[in-house]
Amino acid sequence: MIIALEGIDGSGKGTQTVETANLLRSRGFKVETLAFPTYNRGLFAQEVQSYLNGAYGNLNSIPPKLIALLYAGNRLEMKEEIIEKSTASDFLIIDRYVYSNAAHQGVKLNGRNERGEFVRWLEQLEFSIYGLPRADLNILLDITPLASFENVAKKDPRDYTTSSHDLHESNSEYLYDVSRLYHDIAVSGKWPIIRVTEGRKMRPVDDITLEILSYIFDH
């Protein structure tokens, strides 16, 4: 079973990937994990890193389909590993997968129709042409852009950027739009949506993990 944890930056995807995997392992399951982009692994991932560090200009300098091709290319580079890990384990938990690409690049287009067409184009590219396996369960970790911005500022230094906030994380208006599109995609796909905050405070990590687990076993 492939489980994709989606959500804007700072929503706890990385933490919940680790915690959910550990809890499943404690119950006797074999679990593998992946996170995208795979920084420092692969030609396309290096270009994504350059993009997020502003090497190609601001958010709207490049057509969204071209940037989407970089992210999709990174997953194509990792396709063999995705398939190997998913077939050799009970669960493969992925921190960001195809629909992260859809949400982050789709918001650069105007209107619901254009964004919907972009999502369908990306599904055809990644699932049909590249042959990536679909996630059996997508879960949206829902957080406000303000809480997201604050959480990102608390992160340890990351090896793909020297800045506290990368190109996506530094634009609160952009994060708000991404959050809305993520929500639309989740509702359309009938995904579980887990609110990770209570007011402006993050919910306890263990509570969120148990909620994720409940959706896994109900799926």
Side-chain angles (χ1 to χ4, degrees):
M1 183 177 184
I2 299 176
I3 302 153
L5 298 183
E6 299 283 4
I8 63 173
D9 305 279
S11 58
K13 299 179 301 298
T15 297
Q16 288 304 327
T17 296
V18 172
E19 293 300 319
T20 303
N22 287 341
L23 187 54
L24 285 167
R25 289 181 185 124
S26 74
R27 299 188 180 190
F29 295 102
K30 185 173 182 180
V31 185
E32 296 283 357
T33 64
L34 276 172
F36 287 103
T38 57
Y39 299 113
N40 300 318
R41 292 186 64 194
L43 183 68
F44 285 100
Q46 292 175 23
E47 297 307 319
V48 168
Q49 182 171 322
S50 295
Y51 159 70
L52 290 174
N53 279 297
Y56 304 135
N58 62 40
L59 280 172
N60 297 311
S61 295
I62 308 170
K65 283 187 177 180
L66 294 184
I67 295 300
L69 286 170
L70 297 182
Y71 283 92
N74 179 214
R75 275 182 284 279
L76 181 60
E77 289 178 309
M78 299 297 294
K79 178 180 174 180
E80 185 175 337
E81 186 169 331
I82 294 170
I83 293 172
E84 285 179 356
K85 285 190 170 186
S86 64
T87 54
S89 62
D90 299 305
F91 299 99
L92 169 60
I93 304 174
I94 303 178
D95 170 1
R96 290 186 179 165
Y97 198 39
V98 172
Y99 289 102
S100 175
N101 204 2
H104 278 277
Q105 303 310 318
V107 294
K108 299 173 184 177
L109 299 168
N110 296 318
R112 183 164 291 183
N113 289 339
E114 282 191 36
R115 292 174 178 181
E117 289 175 4
F118 176 82
V119 172
R120 289 187 290 274
W121 172 82
L122 191 64
E123 289 173 332
Q124 182 180 10
L125 173 70
E126 298 215 36
F127 296 132
S128 299
I129 297 175
Y130 287 176
L132 295 170
R134 289 180 180 267
D136 299 289
L137 177 64
N138 296 283
I139 297 175
L140 176 61
L141 301 183
D142 193 25
I143 188 172
T144 65
L146 178 59
S148 163
F149 193 85
E150 292 174 347
N151 284 350
V152 169
K154 298 174 186 175
K155 286 185 177 183
D156 293 331
R158 291 161 290 175
D159 58 6
Y160 76 91
T161 183
T162 57
S163 301
S164 62
H165 293 75
D166 66 29
L167 191 66
H168 288 174
E169 297 163 345
S170 61
N171 190 316
S172 58
E173 184 178 351
Y174 168 79
L175 285 179
Y176 177 76
D177 288 341
V178 173
S179 178
R180 289 181 62 186
L181 182 51
Y182 250 138
H183 194 273
D184 288 346
I185 292 170
V187 170
S188 176
K190 298 180 180 179
W191 301 0
I193 299 174
I194 298 176
R195 188 71 171 180
V196 299
T197 53
E198 293 174 343
R200 287 181 59 179
K201 290 185 177 181
M202 292 293 290
R203 292 172 53 200
V205 169
D206 291 348
D207 289 356
I208 299 170
T209 306
L210 289 173
E211 190 170 350
I212 291 172
L213 212 65
S214 71
Y215 285 116
I216 291 173
F217 289 121
D218 284 345
H219 189 70

